[in-house]
């Protein structure tokens, strides 16, 4: 039976609660794992007593060695990492070599994360997406919770898709809020919760807006998959939005059952939408 | 000499201080004018004692008649108009006919303003851009105030141009803030001052970011020309930005001499950049 056991999983942990979910999934499956927690990004309470090394973002060399030492074969990168400046990195020799190769321009867009995936692969690790580990959290197509969107909401969703894909193509952000055809706000570095919150001041009378959140066109599914959860839903309700549309198969819905129940209670829709192939 | 006199100018006044500048320019030139002030958008103190009719956005029929009655031949639309919802419009017969023609989808993007320009032209008015009335306020190419941008700032400006043109092509907004290659924020309905302000929380250590503000690609120069002024500069300074780049010949710099002097004092750059033809 040993041949069937999943290989030891290296969990490169950024912020938020997602690393905790991956750790819990490994434990539930009895799968061996080792956490590489990023200092200043990962939450010590979320990592808890899981086997872990803490490294700075600039300590790639140390990190790769730790994963090899632990016998890790597969790696997942999980949880947002605030995009660093070169000054924050204080790179070690291995990291400096990495930047000499990919160029500093990689900082500030997904180019950096794509390059990290390539580096991990060159080091002999298989890099998998979080959806391979947390399949239950992937948004399905169709209604996830709440009522079905009406025609006006559908029109706002369509405009939101066009805007979010455009933003994604420019590597700016993943989310937009649209109300009655008007783009109230778009996401850049501030994150989705803050985006929703500031739209409260900008909203018009009449039917509320919608939040649309999508994977960037061509985004590697192994990095930075868009995520919503109960907090997103509650922010949306507080801002008077009528619902949330996420990419089916391309967005994580954390605590999906709780989200669905709360959406029903609040009367907000949460839907998974299918986006045509993005290359 | 009567043949040389500029025709009577109709000033359709939205919010902010720009309508006041146009009124002052007409008075200085001795040019006859009449203001059509938009209730809920134009500022009564800015319009002051200028000859004016106040109309709601939905009273297009009344407005056109007033302009004809006043013998107006040329019209300028000036000052931001918060994009209305159909419920706010409460359209009169003339306006309802207009929407029956252009479709409600025009609400929420520049399509509405472009359609208004066409309607004015069909009514026999010549529509001119504010730059024809306030040529002194148009941003020139090159340094307007403060030091020259260094290489890192130039790189942020270049990224900001790409982002702002992309946003503009999607008809979302006109401005972006970029720091060290990272897009801190992009503008939608909130306006430039709020965009700058929220970037204060998002800024990284090290060299500050830049604000880039451009006309949308293909934007009719007669509507909604991007504008900066002393407030923009002070918000930028408070957020730790290093400078502002605007489109030469496509942006209004209100109080240009005061802006230049304050930029020198603060050590922030204000530059006019030339954007390749946008069609």
């Amino acid at each position: 039976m040993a041949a069937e056991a999943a290989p030891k999983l290296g969990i490169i942990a950024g912020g938020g609660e997602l690393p905790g979910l991956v750790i819990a999934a490994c434990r539930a499956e009895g799968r061996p794992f080792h956490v590489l927690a990023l200092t200043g990004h990962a939450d010590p309470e979320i990592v808890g007593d899981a086997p872990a090394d803490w490294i700075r973002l600039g300590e790639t060399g140390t990190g790769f060695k730790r994963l090899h030492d632990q016998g890790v074969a597969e790696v997942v990168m999980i949880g947002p990492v605030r995009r660093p400046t070169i000054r924050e990195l204080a790179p070690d020799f291995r990291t400096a070599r990495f930047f000499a190769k990919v160029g500093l321009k990689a900082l500030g867009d997904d180019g950096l994360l794509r390059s990290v995936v390539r580096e991990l692969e060159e080091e002999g690790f298989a890099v998998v997406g979080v959806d391979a580990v947390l399949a239950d959290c992937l948004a399905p197509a169709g209604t996830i919770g709440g009522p079905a969107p009406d025609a006006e909401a559908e029109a706002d969703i369509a405009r939101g898709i066009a805007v979010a894909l455009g933003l994604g193509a420019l590597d700016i952000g993943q989310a937009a809020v649209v109300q009655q055809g008007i783009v109230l706000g778009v996401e850049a570095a501030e994150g989705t919760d803050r985006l929703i919150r500031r739209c409260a001041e900008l909203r018009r009378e009449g039917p509320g807006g919608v939040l649309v959140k999508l994977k960037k066109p061509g985004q590697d599914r192994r990095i930075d998959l868009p995520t919503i959860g109960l907090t997103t839903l509650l922010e949306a309700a507080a801002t008077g939005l009528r619902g949330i549309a996420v990419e089916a198969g391309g967005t994580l819905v954390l605590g999906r059952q709780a989200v669905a129940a709360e959406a029903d209670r609040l009367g907000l829709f949460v839907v998974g939408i299918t986006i045509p192939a993005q290359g």
Side-chain angles (χ1 to χ4, degrees), chain A:
Chain A
M1 300 294 282
E4 286 181 21
K8 190 167 188 173
L9 185 67
I11 304 170
I12 303 184
E17 53 184 310
L18 272 171
L21 294 179
V22 175
I23 291 168
C26 286
R27 282 176 167 152
E29 296 168 15
R31 177 171 184 180
F33 67 96
H34 187 78
V35 179
L36 212 55
L38 298 174
T39 304
H41 302 273
D43 180 343
E45 291 199 16
I46 294 288
V47 176
D49 59 358
D53 286 301
W54 287 82
I55 62 160
R56 285 187 302 105
L57 264 178
E59 295 174 312
T60 309
T62 310
F64 286 179
K65 184 164 184 319
R66 290 267 192 284
L67 293 178
H68 282 307
D69 290 349
Q70 289 289 337
V72 160
E74 247 179 46
V75 170
V76 65
M77 300 198 298
I78 184 74
V81 173
R82 193 172 45 81
R83 293 171 186 185
T85 62
I86 187 64
R87 282 165 188 77
E88 284 177 277
L89 281 175
D92 63 12
F93 177 75
R94 179 71 185 71
T95 311
R97 193 158 56 91
F98 167 72
F99 278 114
K101 194 160 79 180
V102 306
L104 281 176
K105 66 172 170 29
L107 280 176
D109 63 19
D110 281 352
L112 175 63
L113 292 171
R114 275 194 295 271
S115 302
V116 171
V117 168
R118 275 196 300 274
E119 286 293 299
L120 283 162
E121 286 173 339
E122 284 179 18
E123 285 282 333
F125 300 110
V127 183
V128 299
V130 65
D131 52 318
V133 187
L134 294 175
D136 287 355
C137 290
L138 261 196
T143 297
I144 296 168
D150 63 17
E152 187 161 13
E154 290 283 9
D156 283 348
I157 291 172
R159 172 94 169 110
I161 291 172
V163 167
L165 289 177
L167 288 176
L170 290 162
D171 202 2
I172 299 172
Q174 303 170 317
V177 175
V178 180
Q179 184 190 16
Q180 300 169 34
I182 298 167
V183 182
L184 294 189
V186 289
E187 179 193 41
E190 74 275 25
T192 305
D193 289 347
R194 282 186 183 172
L195 161 68
I196 299 172
R197 223 169 297 149
R198 79 167 184 268
C199 288
E201 298 176 36
L202 305 169
R203 65 172 299 211
R204 269 61 175 169
E205 289 174 34
V210 302
L211 169 73
V212 176
K213 190 165 184 182
L214 307 180
K215 197 158 56 61
K216 296 174 187 172
Q219 178 180 332
D220 188 327
R221 298 170 61 82
R222 294 172 299 180
I223 52 177
D224 195 26
L225 220 49
T227 302
I228 66 161
L230 212 48
T231 311
T232 324
L233 187 67
L234 295 175
E235 292 283 1
T239 290
L241 300 188
R242 297 202 292 158
I244 300 174
V246 296
E247 181 172 355
T251 309
L252 297 174
V253 183
L254 299 188
R256 207 173 108 191
Q257 285 174 330
V259 166
E262 192 65 13
D264 289 343
R265 197 182 68 78
L266 293 166
L268 261 71
F269 62 78
V270 179
V271 294
I273 48 180
T274 303
I275 306 295
Q278 300 172 27

